[in-house]
Amino acid sequence: MVHSELSQTELLFCQLEAAFHKQVTDFTFHEKEAMFCDFNRATRESNDSLLSCITGSIVFPGFRLCVTFEPRHPRLLTGVLQLHIRFGLRADARAYPIYAVLPYLDPDDFSCYTLSAVTTPEELESGMQYLFRAFLRHYAALLRLCSEPETLAQMDQAFCDDVTAYFQDDVFSRCTQHPEQLSVFLGWYNDALTRRLCSRPYMLFVLGNLSAAQRAYRSHSRYSRLMAYEQRLYAFIQRLLAENRTYTSLPRGLWFFVPETAAEKQCTERARSRSLALGAVLTYALLCVLTQGAYAVFCQVFAQRHLLVLFPSRAGLLVFALLPTLLLSLLLRHSFYHWFAAKEEAALLEADRMPGSTVRIWGSRAIITVCLVFPLFYANNNIAFDAAGVSDNRAFGAEGSYTRYEQVVLHQDDSRYLLCCGSAEPFVLNHMATGNQIRSYIVPILTKGGSTVELS
């Protein structure tokens, strides 16, 4: 029985590790500023085959983004995902928790960057995509910070002061001759910060219960010193309460520590369906306007070179626009959620899996380009009458045929008008023109050119 449970755990951890590798490598590949990535994994002392912690380091100009995942935190007994930043390109540079860097990137950002209760590959993928999106919001500020050595020194001093205050001892001076001991102390500090970010006061803040979070932090501060980030957060909560404001620190879809009820799932699906439907309708309308406008321009260009041109029906473009609408809606669905879903429902949908920003941008450009180019070929699929003959270009993508008027026959069969160009199969002109248009415009051109016209 124990062997069976262990095997299931090993299988789950392997799946989590594979999902972690895929997300890090995909992000590195799609972000053009990322140089390369590497991985560092640790296993449990009791079982070498069981993953204890894995870190993916993505190298950017001037710093490293370190994504750390522990499938089962030794104290919290659940999966924990978080971010660290190493300034400089050395792999052994000091790793700062993202919360130590945030005051120098955006002092008003109190979003949650430590995800707990991550237990499945799907949750891990959603969490990593959320963290990567959050990181990209601060990328420009990080680059600026790398070029400001004085600010970096100030940040490092603030970090060291917080570590010293936590241990109530200057561990940096004590470990000057033994850097490996300093690594142990910093590991204890990071572990304490992680546990604080998974504690009840912080969870109340994430859940939006600001009053309860304020009371919990006030009570906690009586018997244990608040860390630097907790002090900033406590002041931020007080400011929110004073201004009667709310704050969303983590999308509802990433509250893995709170089981989602059946009613919430149903609400999420309704919001998703409504947003996608409205977004698809809007996208279809815009693409129809785009293709019809391009088609009208191309028709004007082609019509200037001939006496008369019969173009294919515009309805074909309405059918064509359906496929680009589907593809574009899939790429832009994240925007639809924020446009058409209620505020609380948009938070539920934030964790929806999305392609990278590069894929979305270039994919959207490619689709719009196709919608502009296709009307050119569609308008060229025409029948043109000039001074000497008829050009039949109805074979889409193939070279058209030209027939002189002497070899052209127009025959009326009841209400149908059949146009015969040489030995080609007769074509029903009613598909591209009305009976009045045929008698008013086409018949005079054919009669003047010497064609055989047989009308009843």
Side-chain angles (χ1 to χ4, degrees):
M1 187 68 178
V2 174
H3 182 271
S4 175
E5 292 178 356
L6 184 60
S7 298
Q8 292 178 3
T9 302
E10 290 177 345
L11 177 61
L12 175 60
F13 282 18
C14 287
Q15 293 172 345
L16 289 169
E17 185 174 3
F20 183 89
H21 272 267
K22 182 178 185 303
Q23 290 299 314
V24 171
T25 52
D26 286 353
F27 180 75
T28 306
F29 177 77
H30 288 112
E31 294 304 323
K32 61 181 181 180
E33 299 296 334
M35 300 166 66
F36 63 91
C37 66
D38 55 35
F39 297 89
N40 182 26
R41 69 191 302 273
T43 57
R44 296 189 179 184
E45 295 180 359
S46 58
N47 187 346
D48 290 340
S49 63
L50 207 56
L51 180 68
S52 171
C53 177
I54 183 171
T55 300
S57 297
I58 306 173
V59 179
F60 289 88
F63 67 92
R64 285 173 176 258
L65 172 67
C66 301
V67 189
T68 303
F69 176 60
E70 296 175 274
R72 185 168 295 170
H73 190 277
R75 299 286 187 90
L76 303 173
L77 301 180
T78 186
V80 177
L81 180 67
Q82 50 192 332
L83 295 180
H84 291 81
I85 302 292
R86 294 180 186 266
F87 291 97
L89 300 181
R90 291 177 54 187
D92 59 346
R94 179 172 294 168
Y96 297 94
I98 187 66
Y99 300 98
V101 186
L102 279 176
Y104 305 90
L105 304 179
D106 183 0
D108 295 324
D109 183 6
F110 287 87
S111 300
C112 178
Y113 294 95
T114 297
L115 305 184
S116 60
V118 181
T119 56
T120 67
E122 293 75 21
E123 291 176 349
L124 179 60
E125 290 175 358
S126 300
M128 294 183 70
Q129 290 172 8
Y130 159 77
L131 291 179
F132 287 145
R133 289 196 299 268
F135 160 75
L136 291 175
R137 291 200 303 267
H138 297 300
Y139 179 74
L142 274 168
L143 288 181
R144 287 195 300 270
L145 184 59
C146 292
S147 61
E148 299 173 356
E150 294 182 358
T151 307
L152 280 177
Q154 181 183 352
M155 182 200 69
D156 181 72
Q157 185 60 50
F159 173 74
C160 294
D161 291 344
D162 192 45
V163 174
T164 300
Y166 174 76
F167 289 108
Q168 297 183 351
D169 187 13
D170 188 359
V171 296
F172 296 94
S173 298
R174 184 201 297 185
C175 301
T176 302
Q177 303 298 327
H178 305 282
E180 66 279 358
Q181 292 183 1
L182 179 60
S183 299
V184 174
F185 279 107
L186 293 180
W188 289 344
Y189 170 84
N190 286 325
D191 182 70
L193 178 61
T194 300
R195 285 185 281 115
R196 296 282 184 94
L197 294 169
C198 297
S199 64
R200 179 175 176 273
Y202 188 73
M203 290 296 103
L204 289 171
F205 168 69
V206 172
L207 292 171
N209 194 341
L210 300 181
S211 298
Q214 181 191 35
R215 291 193 298 269
Y217 273 118
R218 184 167 56 238
S219 175
H220 188 76
S221 64
R222 292 173 182 171
Y223 61 87
S224 178
R225 175 190 174 275
L226 296 181
M227 304 174 90
Y229 178 74
E230 292 179 303
Q231 295 174 16
R232 291 182 55 245
L233 178 61
Y234 182 57
F236 180 67
I237 294 174
Q238 290 180 310
R239 189 164 76 247
L240 290 176
L241 290 173
E243 299 173 358
N244 195 24
R245 290 193 294 135
T246 60
Y247 189 81
T248 301
S249 60
L250 184 67
R252 176 62 179 84
L254 297 175
W255 291 2
F256 303 137
F257 53 90
V258 178
E260 190 175 20
T261 64
E264 289 172 333
K265 291 181 180 179
Q266 188 177 11
C267 179
T268 301
E269 292 305 318
R270 284 201 301 266
R272 180 180 287 110
S273 301
R274 182 176 66 251
S275 301
L276 288 176
L278 292 174
V281 170
L282 176 62
T283 303
Y284 181 70
L286 293 176
L287 289 183
C288 284
V289 171
L290 183 67
T291 54
Q292 296 288 345
Y295 178 70
V297 171
F298 293 134
C299 287
Q300 289 285 346
V301 173
F302 289 136
Q304 292 177 356
R305 299 184 298 173
H306 304 280
L307 296 176
L308 177 66
V309 182
L310 300 181
F311 294 102
S313 172
R314 290 176 176 267
L317 291 175
L318 300 179
V319 177
F320 162 77
L322 291 173
L323 180 59
T325 297
L326 175 62
L327 298 176
L328 205 56
S329 298
L330 291 175
L331 289 174
L332 301 179
R333 65 186 186 275
H334 197 261
S335 299
F336 296 161
Y337 296 155
H338 288 284
W339 294 346
F340 303 115
K343 183 177 180 180
E344 65 276 12
E345 293 172 337
L348 298 176
L349 302 169
E350 185 75 27
D352 192 17
R353 296 177 62 183
M354 289 289 297
S357 59
T358 304
V359 175
R360 293 199 302 272
I361 293 173
W362 286 103
S364 302
R365 290 177 179 176
I367 292 172
I368 294 175
T369 301
V370 170
C371 290
L372 289 173
V373 173
F374 180 81
L376 170 63
F377 295 96
Y378 190 69
N380 191 49
N381 185 24
N382 55 45
I383 296 180
F385 298 84
D386 58 23
V390 180
S391 297
D392 186 359
N393 305 307
R394 289 177 296 113
F396 194 88
E399 186 177 355
S401 61
Y402 185 81
T403 307
R404 300 188 66 82
Y405 284 128
E406 292 81 2
Q407 299 175 298
V408 176
V409 177
L410 177 63
H411 174 69
Q412 183 180 5
D413 181 9
D414 294 331
S415 61
R416 297 194 309 164
Y417 292 85
L418 304 177
L419 183 68
C420 302
C421 297
S423 59
E425 288 289 328
F427 172 67
V428 181
L429 278 179
N430 304 70
H431 294 162
M432 304 180 75
T434 64
N436 290 334
Q437 291 174 336
I438 295 172
R439 287 181 174 272
S440 302
Y441 301 107
I442 299 177
V443 169
I445 293 176
L446 294 178
T447 302
K448 184 178 179 180
S451 300
T452 302
V453 178
E454 301 173 352
L455 302 179
S456 58

